Amino acid sequence: MPSHRLPGRHFFANPGPTNIPDSVLRAMDRNSLDFVEADFLEIFDAARAGLQRLLFTRHEIFFYAATGHGAWEATMVNLFSPGDAVLIIGGGYFSSAWAALSKSFGIEAELLEVDWRAGANLETLAALLAADSTHRIKAVCAVHNETSTSVVLPLADIRAILDNTGHPALFLADTISSLGCFEFRMDDWGVDAVVGGSQKGLMLPAGLAFTAAGPKALAAHRQARLPRFYFDWTAMLTRRFRSFTGTVPIVPFFGMVESLRLLEAEGLENVWARHHRLGAAVRAAVRAWGAGNQGPELYCTDPSRTSDSVTTILLPEGINADAFRKVLLDRYNVSTGGGLASLSGRVFRIGHMGDLNEAMVLGTLGAVELALKACAIPHANSGLAAAIESLT
Ligand code: PLP
């Protein structure tokens, strides 16, 4: 970090946490309030109802004072017993981490290894489920938007595979970097349990996470024997909030009511369209820089699975992506995401989710192009010009 303050706006283009709108910040500027007071109960109920609308569900939501990892842990310990087998669709750092977390609780988590640049082959998945004639697999777990690779999984198609093979496994989805950014429909897509967090499409600080659970998940919960206490859904269901064990953190709910108001005022379909427009502009820029296979390239190789909330960009062999990110930050005041796990130092990630517009994306892309020049990284054409063209 530079020791002096850089003049001008800090551009925050991380794939979560994301920029927090001013009105959400103002809404959270609250002193303490007893969480059983009517004023807070009204806010809590409004936030929960709004989140149900965002998830397109009528089902239960369990909130935790945690980040996404907490919601993963809560979901797994509430649904399974020691030795239960679950299939986690691999494809990046986050699906691997979900599998590792599950294994640490004695769940037999099988990670379906896939090409990280394209995501799971659905035929392989269908064959695996069809071969499981004893229904050993208790759940199929999918990361909707793999934030490390920017590959999106078609959840409705995965639901169809479960239905077509007549497999009774629960269907679990991680929507941490998709919810509020692009289409997700819990009930229509038959997702039994959904993991989500506050710090991406919901435009809130990190620290509030949740699981939405449908009737099949609640039935599985009643049989599940893994130890749990803070995260125990049975205990939560006895509370007024049907959530939390202990103190209810009130502040994020004031923020959530405002962030949901903003999303609904814009219109969810418009929010998705805006993310698509901005994501397409970033992809156009990367394609222009990398034309002729000489510069940066999109890490995701399947155009039907590119993410509208984040773009993972592979730099030419021999170039250290973290040194490049440091130039972006120290010289141009632009923060981007780094590569995770095996992608460390090879890629950088531009987050384009949440409270964002054309000018912010073009500002980031302009600074990236400046930094490509400053670092003498080969690139073919102006990505900035291509992004403007894409937005026109
Ligand atoms: N799942 C996905 C898809 C994520 O992007 C993240 C974090 O970025 C997580 C899980 C883990 O969430 P957290 O870092 O909030 O614990």
Side-chain angles (χ1 to χ4, degrees):
M1 284 293 283
S3 54
H4 61 283
R5 175 190 172 273
L6 290 170
R9 274 269 174 192
H10 177 58
F11 266 59
F12 194 66
N14 276 57
T18 61
N19 295 287
I20 303 174
D22 288 345
S23 66
V24 174
L25 288 171
R26 302 286 106 77
M28 292 188 299
D29 186 3
R30 311 285 313 189
N31 208 332
S32 296
L33 181 69
D34 191 330
F35 53 83
V36 295
E37 270 188 34
D39 282 0
F40 177 65
L41 296 181
E42 204 178 299
I43 288 290
F44 178 83
D45 291 346
R48 182 171 54 186
L51 189 57
Q52 283 175 317
R53 291 193 298 277
L54 188 68
L55 287 157
F56 288 89
T57 189
R58 285 169 292 109
H59 300 314
E60 208 65 69
I61 298 181
F62 301 105
F63 289 103
Y64 328 104
T67 64
H69 280 78
W72 270 341
E73 180 168 328
T75 305
M76 302 317 270
V77 298
N78 274 289
L79 290 178
F80 303 109
S81 300
D84 276 352
V86 303
L87 180 67
I88 298 194
I89 301 175
Y93 172 79
F94 290 105
S95 49
S96 302
W98 195 357
L101 176 147
S102 305
K103 280 185 188 153
S104 76
F105 286 98
I107 295 170
E108 271 187 44
E110 184 189 333
L111 187 67
L112 176 61
E113 298 288 356
V114 311
D115 171 4
W116 277 24
R117 296 192 69 175
N121 178 322
L122 296 192
E123 282 159 22
T124 309
L125 177 66
L128 241 163
L129 290 173
D132 182 34
S133 53
T134 60
H135 299 156
R136 195 181 67 87
I137 297 169
K138 295 280 182 286
V140 171
C141 308
V143 176
H144 190 196
N145 182 69
E146 181 40 88
T147 325
S148 61
T149 60
S150 313
V151 174
V152 176
L153 286 179
L155 297 185
D157 295 350
I158 296 173
R159 172 76 260 166
I161 289 173
L162 280 160
D163 292 343
N164 295 341
T165 52
H167 202 293
L170 292 170
F171 184 25
L172 274 50
D174 169 332
T175 64
I176 287 175
S177 58
S178 59
L179 190 66
C181 305
F182 50 88
E183 187 173 16
F184 173 76
R185 296 178 189 271
M186 178 173 176
D187 295 359
D188 288 354
W189 294 355
V191 185
D192 298 302
V194 178
V195 174
S198 53
Q199 78 272 26
K200 302 199 196 242
L202 273 170
M203 309 177 288
L204 295 166
L208 188 71
F210 55 86
T211 311
K216 201 167 147 186
L218 293 178
H221 166 65
R222 288 189 282 274
Q223 309 298 321
R225 287 180 290 102
L226 275 174
R228 51 191 176 253
F229 189 92
Y230 176 72
F231 286 129
D232 187 8
W233 293 350
T234 297
M236 290 182 187
L237 285 170
T238 65
R239 300 199 76 192
R240 162 67 176 77
F241 304 94
R242 303 176 77 75
S243 281
F244 296 113
T245 301
T247 306
V248 177
I250 64 157
V251 169
F253 289 98
F254 282 93
M256 189 184 288
V257 166
E258 175 58 12
S259 66
L260 290 165
R261 189 194 68 74
L262 291 174
L263 290 171
E264 292 186 331
E266 184 177 353
L268 258 194
E269 307 236 329
N270 296 331
V271 170
W272 298 339
R274 172 168 56 81
H275 279 81
H276 180 67
R277 206 167 57 244
L278 299 176
V282 174
R283 292 189 289 276
V286 180
R287 289 197 186 98
W289 289 323
N293 294 330
Q294 58 167 313
E297 59 181 296
L298 294 175
Y299 185 75
C300 174
T301 52
D302 181 344
S304 70
R305 290 188 172 181
T306 51
S307 166
D308 284 337
S309 59
V310 54
T311 298
T312 302
I313 300 160
L314 185 63
L315 287 179
E317 196 71 48
I319 290 172
N320 182 331
D322 290 330
F324 174 71
R325 286 176 58 234
K326 190 166 157 43
V327 171
L328 263 174
L329 184 63
D330 292 355
R331 206 178 296 178
Y332 304 118
N333 211 356
V334 174
S335 173
T336 53
L340 297 170
S342 62
L343 299 182
S344 172
R346 288 290 291 121
V347 303
F348 73 105
R349 296 175 298 147
I350 297 181
H352 33 86
M353 61 179 108
D355 189 38
L356 209 66
N357 60 23
E358 282 79 355
M360 292 159 87
V361 166
L362 291 174
T364 295
L365 293 173
V368 169
E369 195 160 310
L370 259 177
L372 287 173
K373 288 185 199 307
C375 298
I377 296 174
H379 55 287
N381 300 304
S382 170
L384 187 59
I388 290 171
E389 188 60 33
S390 149
L391 290 168
T392 309

